[in-house]
Amino acid sequence: MPAYYLEALTVTLGIVLLMAEAFSPGKSKAWLGIAGAIGLAVILVLTFTAVGPAANPEAAWAKWPLWNFYQFDASAKFYKIFSLLTTILVLLLAVDYRKVLARFTEHPGSENGTGEYYCLPIFACAGMMWVASAKDLAGAFVALELVTITFYILVSFMRRNVGSLEAGVKYLIIGALSTGFLIYGIAWVYGTLGTMNLAEMSEALIPRLVTPIASEPVPYPAVPQLPLLFGISLVLIGLGFKIGAVPTHIWIPDVYQGAPTPTTAFLSVGSKAAGFILLMRFLEPFLASDLTRGSVITLLAILAGATLLFGNLAAISQSNFKRLLGYSSIAHAGFLLLALAAGNPGSDKTLSSNEAASFYLATYLLMTLGVFFVLSQIRIQRDGESINDFNGLGKTNPTLAFALTVLLAALAGVPLTAGFYGKFFVFSLAVEADLWIPVVIAFIGAAAGFYYYFKVIRAMWWSAPAEGAQPLVLPTITKAAVGVLTAAVLLFGIWPQPILALLK
Amino acid sequence: MLALLVFLPIIAFAAILLGAPARSSAIAAAAINLLLGLAATVTPKAAWAFNLPVLEKPALHLSFAFTDGMSLVMVLLTVIVTLAAVLSGQSPAGKEKLYFGSSLLISAGALGAFAATDLFFFYAFHELALIPTFLMIGILGRGDRREIAWKITIYLGVGSIILLAGLVWLANLTGSYDIPTMIANKAMIPAEAQKGIAALLIIGFGTLVSLFPFHSWAAPAYASAPAPVAMLHAGVLKKFGLYGLLRLAIPLVPEGLQQWLTPLLVLLLGNILWVGLVTISQKRLDTLLGNSSVMHMGYIFLAIAALIAVPGNTLALPAAVILMFAHGVSIALLFGLADRIERNTGSLDLADLGGLAKSAPTLAFLFGIAAMASIGLPGLANFSGEVLVFLSAFKDYSPTAGLGPVQIACILSVWGVVISAVYMLRAYRRIFHGPAVKLTTSAPDITFADRAPALILIIALLAVGLYPNLLLNLLK
């Protein structure tokens, strides 16, 4: 099956569900989420049968000019699987979260105004899948904006809730600004290299043999350096918004706290991953050419260091768990950037920077979504999201507390959980690349991470439950999801090869 | 086979989580492990090796082997103390799963760390053992348990991160995570990197071993911890740092370590003399034992320093390993019996106790042996270790060259023997001798079932004390 069917099917699924929602009179909308998740699961299975033009060059579809815009390689496949998995989990999370959603939408108390909430993530998912296949900055930009615009709605979906509305406005303003940076940067890059196609950009930066005499040094193409770097910096700032990197990270804490919990989970995993895949694709030509490699690595190292420092140190003092996750997601973006800053193309002995970052994101998906499943139940059943609301969970529901302990320990990077491998690869790459200052900051950050994630573990196990606190009772979906995600975090913590095999 | 040894406690832990009876599963797993450990001493080492590739690049293997006698001795120590710990532990009602499950996980972590030949799993298994330690102290600890558990979480977490930095640096320079390969490739470590790596390793491992001045977490943690955690952590897990220095730092960055020799000597004297004096002033048996454990680490560091100063020192390594074994067994015995004293009398405050020997003669006798072992009475394992340490410090002494820094430190540290005799004998007299007081007149003696764990440990102490070749032969 040609790969572009996947996105087409996803969009179709979204439209069908939207129509079904509009014309069905039912009171409960939960079935939409379930149907969406099932549909996406089918597409997820189909992903493994999808092929690009290289697999079947004779087919009529393989000759379409579409392939100038769209590619299907291992990492495209990996990120498509990633987006689908994230969206499925977010839809399931939204199903269990619908009571809170219903309180703050059009007809308070009824689910009438909540149907779209299950359709929009599907469109965002299609956008993320397109970004993963981007071969051209114009196409990538359009796909990325599909994701971002959907998120504007998802963030402010609980429109009767002031916090959600405020989050939506903040996200919109800073998002629009960063879009400006991004498109302006792309324009500068286009202006200097004369193309927006990533493969052609790569060619434009590589020295070409002009004389047949081998001994003569091969000249670099005459690319205006300063404007090019200016363009790259602007793009980095623009993409920094998506991935939550300094300096366009400022929206994160407020938006994370204000948005509905499934949206926050989606933002923290899906949107970040979409930003990263585009960042990796965009950086590839510049890291491959000696002309720009040094400056780009410096830029990335500075971004990584600043992001790590800010995210980790600001997370320490948080008492609201959702906000803490926001800051910690900035910190994780720092680790991911550090992996990219190592600029390692990979060898038969070491992972490449892109592989390490992709692995990190995959484990981050498992851990973060697991935590969000628990968090949303705390929000629903204890009507709060602060760390104190986790007090005594170890006494009232030890199994859940055990699972959350594993997930948080994994986020902190404790060995024999998947989270450790991610950090370990990053450290390993960065040490090899001699990025000493960011490495030191990263180690301090990891220690700080230990501190703030363990604050929650401490609350669960060492503090007494609040007066009259009811034990948490998990709905079936949440119970299954938390169980599966925790098991996966442990399994990949010992045997990470399956994730890396997907990247080949 | 070694993989079975390491994973058996984890399997037992999973079984307990799924509903198997906690105490009996833990005892069964620990007993089988002890038998396996003893079997390992008489069978060829190569038969125990295990290797499973888990990752292609960077190449990581879940691999265990007795590369030399040192890991075998540490594994033996672990299985002996584990059985004693699960046998002697008495869980609070309703917490059996957590209590025995955590003990098993700590044991599995220690076993994995001592047996691993891959740097990644060497580190990872140690961390695995830390989490149940934190949870157990935080949930079931005594006194100001939350603050204490939080303190060790931070201390050991930061220590581990610093250690990780050093280890990643080493692995990158040597291009491998396989410890034997790393040692074979040690020529790839540039001289200028050695000093930095050595500093990271001394601070990282040192924090885990409670090297002065990174020691302040240890005494309160052991005093607060439930008995099996104190036994396993003080007895076994804390040896990980020393083991790591011997296994990695000494072979890989010897010149780097030499540059830190003098500061290291000052710090270890801090352990022996300063912490020793602090120990004398303790008023509770549990904090006294905690401090004494910190103090005795100084002697093992002294052996390591002797090895750093004279790389060809053939006495220092056996000295360090035997003392690690002896200290592990004796401190576990002391913590186990202290728990018994508290259960039988209701207090560990030295001022509240006295004359316990009249109502509990067996307990007094067993504790006496443990105390004597701890202060290095000949015939018990610690004596063999300490004598070897002092001898190793003077191994290359020549009257013409005068005293070197290690020898001076050794002479000063002999005072530690006196100090430990003072506090231990004083504690023994306070608790067991003199007229009986209210708490001790009707205190029950130790029951027959409770003697079993103590006996296991005492047999180990006597065997090594009377015939140190038992271990020395393994180390050859």
Side-chain angles (χ1 to χ4, degrees):
Chain A
M1 185 183 82
Y4 55 82
Y5 275 26
L6 298 172
E7 283 85 355
L9 282 172
T10 310
V11 173
T12 314
L13 176 69
I15 293 172
V16 168
L17 285 182
L18 209 52
M19 291 296 146
E21 197 276 331
F23 293 109
S24 76
K27 282 232 164 70
S28 167
K29 303 285 183 189
W31 64 272
L32 275 168
I34 308 275
I38 293 172
L40 290 177
V42 172
I43 299 172
L44 180 63
V45 174
L46 289 176
T47 313
F48 290 93
T49 68
V51 288
N56 190 0
E58 295 310 309
W61 54 264
K63 301 194 173 70
W64 284 15
L66 168 78
W67 299 100
N68 295 332
F69 255 61
Y70 183 97
Q71 60 182 338
F72 189 69
D73 54 9
S75 68
K77 185 170 160 185
F78 179 86
Y79 279 95
K80 282 185 210 292
I81 296 172
F82 187 104
S83 314
L84 286 163
L85 206 56
T86 314
T87 318
I88 292 171
L89 287 167
V90 166
L91 285 178
L92 294 178
L93 181 57
V95 170
D96 276 350
Y97 193 74
R98 61 185 188 280
K99 283 194 199 96
V100 179
L101 268 188
R103 256 196 277 161
F104 298 107
T105 41
E106 208 57 67
H107 308 283
S110 95
E111 287 181 29
N112 268 344
T114 63
E116 295 86 353
Y117 196 77
Y118 307 103
C119 306
L120 289 167
I122 300 177
F123 293 113
C125 177
M128 291 175 203
M129 290 162 74
W130 262 311
V131 175
S133 279
K135 209 177 171 182
D136 186 289
L137 288 181
F141 176 76
V142 175
L144 197 61
E145 282 312 293
L146 172 56
V147 179
T148 312
I149 289 171
T150 318
F151 268 113
Y152 293 144
I153 311 168
L154 287 176
V155 168
S156 45
F157 201 85
M158 302 200 295
R159 48 197 173 278
R160 308 251 155 147
N161 178 319
V162 180
S164 180
L165 218 50
E166 183 193 329
V169 172
K170 277 191 178 149
Y171 191 65
L172 179 67
I173 291 173
I174 301 174
L177 186 70
S178 82
T179 298
F181 273 111
L182 183 62
I183 201 74
Y184 193 45
I186 292 177
W188 277 82
V189 172
Y190 178 75
T192 48
L193 296 179
T195 174
M196 286 200 282
N197 185 301
L198 291 165
E200 287 169 21
M201 278 163 59
S202 187
E203 258 168 49
L205 288 164
I206 287 173
R208 266 158 299 191
L209 229 47
V210 283
T211 55
I213 308 160
S215 61
E216 231 163 85
V218 183
Y220 275 103
V223 175
Q225 286 261 15
L226 204 59
L228 179 60
L229 285 177
F230 182 61
I232 295 174
S233 317
L234 289 174
V235 173
L236 283 182
I237 292 174
L239 287 178
F241 166 78
K242 309 297 193 255
I243 62 176
V246 170
T248 29
H249 63 281
I250 34 172
W251 58 278
I252 285 198
D254 292 334
V255 174
Y256 270 43
Q257 194 182 354
T261 305
T263 306
T264 314
F266 205 16
L267 263 180
S268 125
V269 179
S271 169
K272 194 185 279 293
F276 264 102
I277 173 66
L278 185 52
L279 188 60
M280 286 179 213
R281 296 245 192 249
F282 173 75
L283 288 175
E284 216 157 349
F286 301 108
L287 285 171
S289 163
D290 285 338
L291 208 60
T292 43
R293 183 180 162 84
S295 339
V296 170
I297 284 185
T298 313
L299 275 176
L300 285 171
I302 293 171
L303 272 187
T307 309
L308 278 166
L309 202 61
F310 179 84
N312 280 306
L313 297 188
I316 288 179
S317 60
Q318 300 307 316
S319 61
N320 179 300
F321 188 42
K322 222 165 149 192
R323 218 174 157 80
L324 184 142
L325 284 173
Y327 281 105
S328 90
S329 99
I330 301 177
H332 286 287
F335 280 108
L336 286 156
L337 277 172
L338 187 57
L340 298 188
N344 193 323
S347 67
D348 54 343
K349 277 199 145 175
T350 51
L351 288 176
S352 70
S353 284
N354 287 358
E355 279 173 319
S358 303
F359 180 87
Y360 196 118
L361 275 168
T363 59
Y364 181 71
L365 178 160
L366 302 171
M367 308 179 293
T368 310
L369 284 175
V371 170
F372 272 111
F373 267 101
V374 182
L375 176 65
S376 83
Q377 288 307 315
I378 296 273
R379 167 81 175 86
I380 295 165
Q381 300 184 28
R382 295 196 172 163
D383 207 19
E385 288 164 342
S386 77
I387 292 176
N388 289 338
D389 292 312
F390 287 81
N391 280 353
L393 199 60
K395 290 208 179 63
T396 55
N397 193 340
T399 320
L400 178 66
F402 172 75
L404 194 57
T405 305
V406 171
L407 293 168
L408 290 169
L411 279 169
V414 169
L416 301 184
T417 62
F420 179 64
Y421 270 112
K423 286 213 171 62
F424 173 74
F425 293 149
V426 172
F427 285 140
S428 188
L429 284 173
V431 168
E432 200 167 313
D434 288 333
L435 297 168
W436 290 109
I437 296 173
V439 165
V440 170
I441 296 176
F443 272 105
I444 296 172
F450 217 83
Y451 179 89
Y452 55 75
Y453 286 121
F454 269 69
K455 262 190 356 189
V456 185
I457 295 181
R458 179 169 71 156
M460 281 194 302
W461 291 103
W462 302 350
S463 301
E467 265 321 288
Q470 297 295 314
L472 280 192
V473 183
L474 295 192
T476 324
I477 295 178
T478 300
K479 201 186 262 175
V482 172
V484 169
L485 291 169
T486 310
V489 164
L490 286 174
L491 174 71
F492 294 130
I494 295 169
W495 190 47
Q497 195 65 39
I499 296 182
L500 290 163
L502 272 181
L503 280 162
K504 280 198 196 129
Chain B
M1 283 296 272
L2 252 175
L4 178 66
L5 192 74
V6 174
F7 282 104
L8 193 62
I10 297 181
I11 296 168
F13 167 74
I16 290 174
L17 268 193
L18 295 175
R23 187 161 193 266
S24 38
S25 311
I27 291 175
I32 297 173
N33 258 359
L34 179 60
L35 293 179
L36 284 172
L38 291 175
T41 58
V42 291
T43 46
K45 282 175 191 164
W48 290 77
F50 172 84
N51 190 9
L52 178 79
V54 293
L55 195 63
E56 280 169 21
K57 50 178 191 176
L60 296 182
H61 299 257
L62 181 61
S63 57
F64 303 111
F66 294 126
T67 39
D68 53 28
M70 187 164 53
S71 26
L72 179 52
V73 174
M74 299 316 293
V75 165
L76 268 181
L77 168 67
T78 314
V79 292
I80 292 171
V81 174
T82 305
L83 181 60
V86 292
L87 275 177
S88 64
Q90 196 182 52
S91 135
K95 301 275 184 196
E96 288 84 5
K97 279 189 181 187
L98 173 76
Y99 192 82
F100 290 103
S102 302
S103 306
L104 286 171
L105 274 190
I106 297 174
S107 171
L111 285 169
F114 291 137
T117 58
D118 191 286
L119 190 65
F120 182 87
F121 286 99
F122 165 79
Y123 178 84
F125 271 103
H126 173 256
E127 296 286 294
L128 170 72
L130 288 182
I131 304 255
T133 311
F134 302 149
L135 291 183
M136 282 282 271
I137 295 178
I139 300 167
L140 297 177
R142 288 177 291 226
D144 200 359
R145 59 188 167 85
R146 278 180 222 159
E147 284 314 307
I148 292 166
W150 195 226
K151 187 172 179 181
I152 74 160
T153 308
I154 302 304
Y155 253 96
L156 299 186
V158 172
S160 304
I161 294 270
I162 293 171
L163 173 62
L164 181 63
L167 296 182
V168 169
W169 195 354
L170 267 180
N172 267 299
L173 290 176
T174 53
S176 173
Y177 286 93
D178 181 50
I179 295 174
T181 316
M182 288 172 70
I183 294 173
N185 289 354
K186 72 173 194 177
M188 292 157 78
I189 303 170
E192 58 268 29
Q194 285 219 5
K195 191 175 180 188
I197 295 176
L200 288 174
L201 294 187
I202 289 177
I203 296 175
F205 281 131
T207 308
L208 303 180
V209 193
S210 64
L211 175 65
F212 182 88
F214 315 111
H215 68 286
S216 67
W217 59 270
Y222 297 146
S224 167
V229 173
M231 292 168 78
L232 280 166
H233 198 280
V236 179
L237 199 61
K238 202 156 78 158
K239 306 296 179 294
F240 169 82
L242 299 159
Y243 174 83
L245 284 173
L246 290 169
R247 168 72 69 225
L248 289 165
I250 299 261
L252 285 168
V253 287
E255 286 105 51
L257 287 173
Q258 259 161 17
Q259 303 191 41
W260 297 104
L261 183 62
T262 313
L264 182 64
L265 287 170
V266 174
L267 299 187
L268 71 88
L269 284 176
N271 271 66
I272 295 175
L273 298 177
W274 172 261
V275 180
L277 292 173
V278 170
T279 313
I280 291 186
S281 68
Q282 297 303 313
K283 296 192 169 57
R284 283 177 61 87
L285 182 61
D286 48 7
T287 51
L288 183 141
L289 293 179
N291 276 299
S292 119
S293 157
V294 175
M295 171 192 172
H296 279 99
M297 291 302 109
Y299 289 110
I300 307 172
F301 271 113
L302 182 62
I304 293 175
L307 194 56
I308 295 170
V310 188
N313 195 330
T314 47
L315 267 182
L317 181 78
V321 177
I322 290 192
L323 193 51
M324 276 152 76
F325 181 87
H327 177 265
V329 175
S330 63
I331 196 75
L333 182 59
L334 284 167
F335 274 121
L337 292 173
D339 180 54
R340 201 65 47 182
I341 294 173
E342 189 181 28
R343 248 190 273 160
N344 291 359
T345 64
S347 172
L348 279 178
D349 218 319
L350 296 179
D352 291 351
L353 294 167
L356 189 56
K358 289 194 190 70
S359 50
T362 323
L363 182 58
F365 175 67
L366 296 175
F367 194 89
I369 296 180
M372 292 308 139
S374 149
I375 60 182
L377 196 77
L380 293 157
N382 304 54
F383 175 74
S384 320
E386 281 177 22
V387 166
L388 281 172
V389 169
F390 295 142
L391 289 178
S392 71
F394 276 91
K395 185 81 191 335
D396 69 325
Y397 172 69
S398 77
T400 47
L403 292 171
V406 179
Q407 279 110 38
I408 295 172
C410 178
I411 291 169
L412 289 172
S413 70
V414 174
W415 284 101
V417 177
V418 181
I419 294 175
S420 63
V422 170
Y423 64 69
M424 210 40 120
L425 294 175
R426 215 172 54 131
Y428 188 75
R429 186 174 55 92
R430 281 277 178 81
I431 298 171
F432 291 101
H433 289 198
V437 295
K438 198 175 80 185
L439 286 176
T440 59
T441 36
S442 58
D445 199 0
I446 190 166
T447 62
F448 185 74
D450 286 341
R451 287 176 208 171
L455 279 179
I456 295 171
L457 298 172
I458 288 175
I459 291 170
L461 283 177
L462 279 172
V464 176
L466 295 173
Y467 191 61
N469 280 358
L470 277 180
L471 293 187
L472 289 174
N473 285 340
L474 295 177
L475 287 168
K476 273 177 191 156

